[in-house]
Amino acid sequence: MPLLRPIATLALAAAVLPWLQAQVPARDAADLQKQLDRLQVVGSVLYIAAHPDDENTAVLAALSKGRNLRTAYLALNRGGGGQNLIGHELGDALAVIRTQELLAARRIDGAEQFFTSAVDFGYSKTAEESLRIWNHDQVLGEVVHTIRSIRPDVILTRFPPDERGGHGHHTASALLAIEAFKVAADPARYPEQIRAGLRPWQATRLLWNHYRFSDDAPKPPAGSVKLDVGAYDPLLGRAYSELAAESRSQHRSQGFGGLAQRGQREESFELLAGTPAKADLFDGIDLGWSRFPGTAQVAALLKKARGAFRPQQPAGMLPLLHRALGAIRALPSGLQAEPLLRSKAQELEELIRAAAGLWVEAIAHRQSVAPGDSLTVNVAVLGRGGSALVVDALSLEAVTPTSARTLEVRKEDKPLLENQPMKAAFTFTVPAGSPLSQPHWLGGPGTAEWAGLPEAPPPFRLRVQLSQPQGRFEVVVPVQYRHRDPVLGERYRPLVLQPAALVNLAEKVQVFAGPEAKELRLKVVAGASSPSGRVRLRVPATWKVEPSEQAFKLTRPGEEQELAFHITPPSAPAAGELVAEVDLGGGFTTARSLVRLDHPHIPLQTLLPEAKAQLERFDLKHNGHRIGYVMGAGDDVPQALRRLGYEVELLSDEALAREDLAHFDAIVLGIRAFNTRPALGSLKDRLHAYVAGGGTEVVLYTVNTRFPGINAAMVTDAIGPYPFKVGQKRVSDESVPVRFLQPQHQAFHWPNELTAKDFEGWVQERSLYHAEGWDSRYTPLLGMADPGEPEDQGALLVAPHGKGHYVYTGLAFFRQLPDGVPGATRLFANLLALGHAP
């Protein structure tokens, strides 16, 4: 990984330690003892899988917290192709959330987090498809880069390299791990990494971490290595499996809250490559300091420090810790560059800070700022560990992808008085051209330089140089914003660098159901103190915008000004892109929008995507305008329907139970409503009565799956008026042809006449969680299959019930409608109109 400062400081924590984003951590005496124990062990392990939530947190916790090894998880992608149980965010926004959920999990289980550039494009049935879409050579090179950077003794995979992986991404992750295990040791492969300073590395062994989701699953083969993840740790006050449940439960967007497991629990590992192990994952591997020449003194000093540790006076071991740090710094530079020794130097310097009772923070007076604006950073340095501390200097630094530039240095040479904070304030102008706070993996600054890291370092940081009688050390903390939440209390937020003016479009997709003009409203938001300028909308030549541009003037950060434009589409169906541009005096450039992702279990995340919208002009008719919507896991279908002219009312459990439902032309149950709305177990009868009275009920896909500790079952099996089951079949290729099983059915003809062309241009996937074993009173309407598979007919079922119509569909409308896909929109309009045929 690229470094911004010399190795023997805490600055590397910006790249690899997940706690940096929360100021310095609070460590109690048990944690200090764990850190001391960890310093006695010099070994590392890399765990590889495909997605966020694929990792075995029990194994990570047992290796990191129990075996005291440097432990890292490499997720090939960030999970943006999945679903979301806690909000409407999908795609890139969901990937941001899931990245932060991984970091929250790592803060609990003690492992580090890395990524490749592979994109989660949705469910894949084959590893071949996954590797083709990901670009095999590129992603393999990134896995090799991670191995060469960490130099792990052992590599573990979550999945086997065959169809047992169940998901093309899963199997591909194992295949890449096997290939990278060998390639990382070959200097002729990816030689640019060698030229950049990395060295070939051959891990000792590669093993598959078996998983068993049921008692009747095949047992691991004889000779598999075992690891007890249920062992109790008195310093933690719980078993590693208990810690793992808390870690895994951070994956809230995926509904992975799990039950803690107590008691002996063995994980099994099967050799895939390398030297066999007889009894332990690390058989034959030296996990002590003796693996590195010239480190005997370091080992002896750390052993003495462990013996000298007193929980009520941790500062007593500081002389020994300083001497150990000095001994590491005295090693030859080539040896200091060893990843394990760099890691130990960071851990040791952090232990010195914690044992000294040192607290450091750097708080910005604003949560966001634009280049060219003034920013004040309030600094507090507090010593409360009963040891002599002198602040030698304070340095404020700006971090860019290629350097860390010092903005101001203050020589202090001030002793810290016990439990009395030393305060200082830096006021400076944010340099022009400072990188904006767009994630580097979404095209923001540092795409190459910070590749593989979960997130970019903070834009500004404070470096505190300190000395004690025994030696000198540094502490580096990010500049952040702190505020009081009336419910959650003290909260930290990342400092955001944003443009002077932002443009938020009301809709990211503009759908025109005819040639008539529509109003487009946008908001210009002040990112700086007082921006003024002009906004215009750039559209394809056959589209028209009035007025051509508009002026804006804002007087304070956060102020908004709403502007309205009128867009006239061409007379014939067409598609295109709308781009908002802003001129602040230097000419028009593409504007950026402001998107905030605010969830209580992760830090506030800010995205600055380009201010663009998709334009879709197609012929659309709809009949039946008033729609009731029962939100499930969260989707944007209601808003998509509103922009088409439907009146949509979100229905609470109480409304379902008490309101007269007959005034709705149709009621739609959103994705996974029958997983997330327990009241539907009884309210389904009211819905079926509504259908019998002449209504139309459309149920979007639901899931019926159970794993140990995780329940994704439906709240009732009777989700329709007649029996059917929800299965696991899906069609992941969104471009496969679709066969009309009942070509004369009303759903294909009224009010929109549909053809095979309406199934072109769909996004990400065609359908998921199909119906199976249905009652004869249901009529399947569509047949489809992924390449090489038999046709399945469970993607769309309709049934008359009384005077009305019931629909179950696995078709991925939750992706198609928000994206304005014409054919999917026309089909959905027909389903909503089933009860209004002439």
Side-chain angles (χ1 to χ4, degrees), residues 3 130 190 212 224 312 323 325 352 366 415 420 422 470 477 503 509 514 520 556 748 790 813:
L3 304 182
S130 301
Y190 301 99
R212 299 181 68 209
S224 297
Q312 295 187 347
R323 287 175 60 192
L325 182 60
I352 290 173
R366 291 167 53 180
Q420 296 187 36
M422 187 193 86
Q470 304 87 0
V477 296
V503 176
V509 177
L520 182 148
R556 66 182 186 280
F748 298 132
F813 286 116

Coordinates of all heavy atoms in Angstrom, one line a residue, residues 3 130 190 212 224 312 323 325 352 366 415 420 422 470 477 503 509 514 520 556 748 790 813:
L3 N 2.5 4.7 1.0 CA 2.7 5.3 2.3 C 2.9 6.8 2.1 O 3.5 7.3 1.1 CB 3.9 4.7 3.1 CG 3.8 3.2 3.3 CD1 5.1 2.8 4.1 CD2 2.6 2.9 4.0
S130 N -18.1 -14.3 -13.9 CA -17.5 -13.3 -12.9 C -16.1 -12.8 -13.3 O -15.9 -11.6 -13.3 CB -17.5 -13.9 -11.5 OG -18.8 -14.3 -11.1
Y190 N 3.4 -9.7 -13.0 CA 3.2 -8.3 -12.5 C 4.5 -7.7 -12.0 O 4.6 -7.2 -10.9 CB 2.1 -8.4 -11.4 CG 0.8 -9.0 -11.8 CD1 0.5 -10.3 -11.5 CD2 -0.1 -8.2 -12.6 CE1 -0.7 -10.9 -12.0 CE2 -1.3 -8.8 -13.0 CZ -1.6 -10.1 -12.7 OH -2.7 -10.7 -13.2
R212 N -20.7 -25.2 7.0 CA -21.7 -26.2 7.0 C -23.0 -25.5 7.5 O -23.1 -25.0 8.6 CB -21.4 -27.3 8.0 CG -20.1 -28.1 7.6 CD -19.9 -29.2 8.6 NE -20.9 -30.3 8.5 CZ -21.3 -31.0 9.5 NH1 -20.8 -30.9 10.7 NH2 -22.2 -32.0 9.3
S224 N -8.3 -32.6 8.0 CA -8.6 -31.2 8.1 C -8.1 -30.6 9.4 O -8.2 -31.2 10.4 CB -10.1 -30.9 7.9 OG -10.5 -31.3 6.6
Q312 N -3.1 -1.1 37.0 CA -3.4 0.2 37.6 C -2.3 1.3 37.4 O -2.5 2.4 37.7 CB -3.7 0.1 39.1 CG -5.0 -0.8 39.3 CD -5.4 -0.8 40.8 OE1 -4.7 -0.4 41.6 NE2 -6.6 -1.2 41.0
R323 N 12.4 1.7 24.7 CA 13.7 1.0 24.3 C 13.4 0.0 23.2 O 14.2 -0.1 22.3 CB 14.3 0.3 25.5 CG 14.9 1.3 26.5 CD 15.4 0.5 27.8 NE 16.4 -0.5 27.4 CZ 16.8 -1.5 28.3 NH1 16.3 -1.5 29.5 NH2 17.7 -2.3 27.9
L325 N 11.0 0.2 21.0 CA 10.7 1.0 19.7 C 12.1 1.5 19.2 O 12.3 1.5 18.0 CB 9.8 2.2 20.0 CG 9.4 3.1 18.8 CD1 8.7 2.2 17.8 CD2 8.5 4.2 19.3
I352 N 2.4 2.8 23.4 CA 3.1 3.8 24.2 C 2.1 5.0 24.4 O 2.0 5.5 25.5 CB 4.3 4.4 23.4 CG1 5.4 3.3 23.4 CG2 4.8 5.7 24.0 CD1 6.6 3.6 22.6
R366 N -16.5 23.3 11.2 CA -17.6 23.0 10.2 C -17.5 21.5 9.8 O -16.4 21.0 9.8 CB -17.5 23.9 9.0 CG -17.8 25.3 9.3 CD -17.3 26.2 8.1 NE -17.9 25.8 6.8 CZ -17.6 26.4 5.6 NH1 -16.9 27.5 5.6 NH2 -18.2 25.9 4.5
P415 N 5.5 21.1 28.5 CA 5.1 20.0 29.3 C 3.6 19.9 29.5 O 2.9 20.9 29.6 CB 5.8 20.2 30.7 CG 6.8 21.2 30.4 CD 6.3 22.1 29.3
Q420 N -4.8 18.0 32.4 CA -5.2 19.4 32.0 C -4.9 19.5 30.5 O -3.7 19.5 30.1 CB -4.5 20.4 32.8 CG -4.8 20.4 34.3 CD -4.2 21.5 35.1 OE1 -4.1 22.6 34.6 NE2 -3.8 21.3 36.3
M422 N -3.9 20.7 26.9 CA -3.3 21.8 26.2 C -4.1 22.1 24.9 O -4.4 21.1 24.1 CB -1.8 21.4 25.8 CG -1.1 22.6 25.2 SD 0.5 22.1 24.4 CE -0.1 21.7 22.8
Q470 N 12.2 8.8 28.3 CA 12.7 7.5 27.7 C 12.8 7.6 26.2 O 13.4 6.7 25.6 CB 11.8 6.4 28.1 CG 11.7 6.2 29.6 CD 10.5 7.0 30.1 OE1 9.8 7.8 29.4 NE2 10.3 7.0 31.4
V477 N -3.7 12.1 14.1 CA -5.2 12.0 14.2 C -5.8 12.8 13.0 O -5.3 13.8 12.6 CB -5.8 12.5 15.5 CG1 -5.3 11.6 16.7 CG2 -5.5 13.9 15.8
V503 N -25.3 21.1 -7.2 CA -26.6 21.1 -7.8 C -27.2 19.7 -7.6 O -26.7 18.7 -8.0 CB -26.4 21.3 -9.3 CG1 -27.8 21.2 -10.0 CG2 -25.8 22.6 -9.6
V509 N -33.7 10.2 -12.8 CA -34.3 9.7 -14.0 C -35.5 10.5 -14.4 O -36.4 10.7 -13.5 CB -34.7 8.2 -13.9 CG1 -35.3 7.7 -15.2 CG2 -33.5 7.3 -13.6
G514 N -44.9 10.9 -23.1 CA -45.4 11.5 -24.3 C -44.5 12.6 -24.7 O -43.5 12.9 -24.1
L520 N -38.6 20.5 -14.6 CA -37.5 19.9 -13.9 C -37.0 20.9 -12.8 O -36.6 22.0 -13.2 CB -36.3 19.5 -14.8 CG -35.1 18.8 -14.1 CD1 -34.5 17.8 -15.0 CD2 -34.1 19.8 -13.6
R556 N -24.5 31.9 2.4 CA -23.9 31.2 3.6 C -23.9 29.7 3.2 O -24.7 29.2 2.4 CB -24.7 31.4 4.8 CG -26.1 30.8 4.8 CD -26.9 31.1 6.0 NE -28.2 30.5 6.0 CZ -29.3 30.9 5.4 NH1 -29.2 32.0 4.7 NH2 -30.4 30.2 5.4
F748 N -50.3 -8.5 -21.4 CA -49.4 -8.1 -22.5 C -50.0 -7.2 -23.5 O -49.3 -6.8 -24.5 CB -49.0 -9.4 -23.3 CG -48.3 -10.4 -22.5 CD1 -48.6 -11.8 -22.5 CD2 -47.2 -10.1 -21.7 CE1 -48.0 -12.7 -21.7 CE2 -46.5 -11.0 -20.9 CZ -46.9 -12.3 -20.9
P790 N -32.5 -25.0 -18.2 CA -33.9 -25.2 -18.7 C -34.8 -24.0 -18.4 O -34.5 -23.3 -17.4 CB -34.4 -26.5 -18.0 CG -33.5 -26.5 -16.8 CD -32.2 -25.9 -17.2
F813 N -38.3 -5.6 -10.8 CA -38.9 -4.3 -11.0 C -38.3 -3.2 -10.1 O -38.2 -2.1 -10.4 CB -40.4 -4.3 -10.8 CG -41.2 -5.0 -11.9 CD1 -41.9 -6.2 -11.6 CD2 -41.3 -4.4 -13.1 CE1 -42.7 -6.8 -12.6 CE2 -42.0 -5.1 -14.2 CZ -42.7 -6.2 -13.9

